[in-house]
Amino acid sequence: MVDDGGWFGCCGLLLQQTLARGRFAITAEVTPPRGGDPARTLAAASALRGWVHAVNVTDGSRAVMRMSSIAVCRLMLEAGIEPVLQMACRDRNRIALQADLLGAHALGLRNLLCLTGDPVRAGDQPEARAVNEFESVRLLQLVARLNAGLDPVQGTLPDGGTAFFAGAAADPQSPSRSGLRSRLQRKQQAGARFVQTQMVSDGEALRRFVDEIAAPLGLPVLAGVFLLKSARNAAFINRVVPGANIPQAVIDRLAAASDPAAEGIAIAAEQVASYSQIAQGVHLMAIKAEERIPEILRQAGIGPVAGVGDSAGGRPQGQVAAEQLSQSLLLG
């Protein structure tokens, strides 16, 4: 548990308070188990305690069966780890979305990332029937109505409004700048209060996204950093992940490394250091290697997160170290 102001009641507001104060925020993500035992997922999240402000729990990512993200978020909350509930529209109609939102709120969950969801054809059950009645903008609109105390059908909620802190996703490397701008504007107008990006490998694209699109909308950005484990892993991501564009120089660097895993940590640390000069935070993705995230942050010059009352606020420990790492960045 983050001490002295870093934990607010049962629900945890560290991420919201950190962003509201304009301080550097760090999030990471874990994947629910493919089974009924949450032990490994909770252990992965526990390894991040004190290093991040909140931990995302993915919701049916890649259209693959996993344990309920709501259940995992509640278990994390009980363990003193602030969760971010990812909620995808693919598998739920509006009634199910309404029910899950109200249930999540009753369980003490407050941070929410609203997503459309990966297409069913991308998963291991392509014969499944997608719902897709809503997409992320309409989900954000629903959350805003609930927060305002409005019943989605008529009248008002009998027990007052909810208190979700809702965010949205974006891809700074989208080839359509006008489409990216328009989509984010719609999300902001629908109620998004922060942005977590897809994996970013082009620092200049991130800078343009923050300066030209997100900042004018008043949206803090947490830049996505993906831990690469090998050249083969990087090439695979380029093939199967929409929008991924890992530079060949990075793939070659991993291929030439005597210890690709350590090199992947170094590359991620360089990204964190570079992006800390551009965005208000980073979102770390280290699939099945979450225990390496503290080392990424250490190499980036970032120590354990501070409570909202502290002055450090998760900022890199000294701008010189960050700038030196940034200069060595090979990712544009």
Side-chain angles (χ1 to χ4, degrees):
M1 182 180 298
V2 182
D3 62 1
D4 191 16
W7 191 254
F8 292 77
C10 69
C11 303
L13 296 172
L14 183 57
L15 176 61
Q16 182 176 354
Q17 296 289 338
T18 299
L19 291 174
R21 285 162 170 75
R23 295 180 179 167
F24 193 72
I26 305 166
T27 57
E29 71 180 42
V30 297
T31 302
R34 189 182 177 95
D37 184 355
R40 189 214 167 271
T41 299
L42 293 177
S46 294
L48 303 173
R49 186 189 284 109
W51 286 95
V52 302
H53 295 90
V55 178
N56 287 42
V57 180
T58 60
D59 180 28
S61 177
R62 296 179 55 243
V64 172
M65 180 195 75
R66 298 283 181 181
M67 181 183 288
S68 161
S69 56
I70 295 175
V72 174
C73 282
R74 175 60 197 186
L75 292 171
M76 283 172 43
L77 197 62
E78 292 174 356
I81 304 162
E82 180 166 328
V84 178
L85 171 63
Q86 293 191 1
M87 183 168 286
C89 300
R90 180 194 59 235
D91 305 323
R92 304 170 173 93
N93 66 10
R94 69 181 69 194
I95 298 172
L97 288 168
Q98 293 158 6
D100 281 352
L101 285 168
L102 294 175
H105 195 270
L107 291 173
L109 309 183
R110 296 295 181 265
N111 300 320
L112 183 68
L113 188 70
C114 296
L115 303 168
T116 298
D118 298 322
V120 167
R121 65 178 180 274
D124 57 359
Q125 301 180 76
E127 71 280 3
R129 183 175 299 175
V131 179
N132 290 327
E133 182 181 4
F134 278 14
E135 41 68 55
S136 58
V137 172
R138 294 188 69 187
L139 178 56
L140 284 162
Q141 292 169 341
L142 170 60
V143 172
R145 287 182 63 84
L146 294 177
N147 279 351
L150 301 175
D151 187 296
V153 181
Q154 60 182 3
T156 59
L157 297 174
D159 50 1
T162 56
F164 288 114
F165 180 56
D171 180 7
Q173 298 175 163
S174 170
S176 173
R177 302 296 292 178
S178 61
L180 180 60
R181 185 189 306 273
S182 173
R183 185 74 173 162
L184 195 64
Q185 285 175 337
R186 291 180 61 205
K187 291 180 178 181
Q188 187 267 347
Q189 292 166 358
R193 296 174 63 188
F194 68 95
V195 177
Q196 287 180 332
T197 81
Q198 307 289 356
M199 172 179 56
V200 177
S201 55
D202 184 342
E204 190 53 40
L206 175 65
R207 187 180 301 278
R208 291 195 304 270
F209 172 74
V210 171
D211 293 347
E212 300 173 11
I213 298 177
L217 295 173
L219 289 173
V221 173
L222 282 72
V225 174
F226 192 95
L227 174 62
L228 301 169
K229 303 180 182 72
S230 66
R232 182 178 178 182
N233 174 233
F236 174 79
I237 290 169
N238 271 350
R239 286 198 309 272
V240 304
V241 177
N245 186 22
I246 301 166
Q248 187 61 44
V250 173
I251 297 176
D252 292 343
R253 178 175 165 183
L254 288 163
S258 59
D259 186 345
E263 197 68 20
I265 290 173
I267 291 169
E270 292 165 10
Q271 288 183 304
V272 170
S274 175
Y275 299 167
S276 72
Q277 311 302 306
I278 300 171
Q280 196 180 326
V282 290
H283 176 63
L284 292 156
M285 295 164 277
I287 299 173
K288 296 183 180 180
E290 294 86 359
E291 72 282 355
R292 301 178 191 175
I293 287 177
E295 180 59 25
I296 293 171
L297 294 171
R298 277 191 289 264
Q299 289 191 26
I302 299 177
V305 300
V308 295
D310 294 331
S311 59
R315 262 294 180 190
Q317 297 174 344
Q319 295 300 319
V320 173
E323 290 169 2
Q324 288 174 340
L325 281 168
S326 299
Q327 290 170 0
S328 66
L329 187 67
L330 294 179
L331 304 181

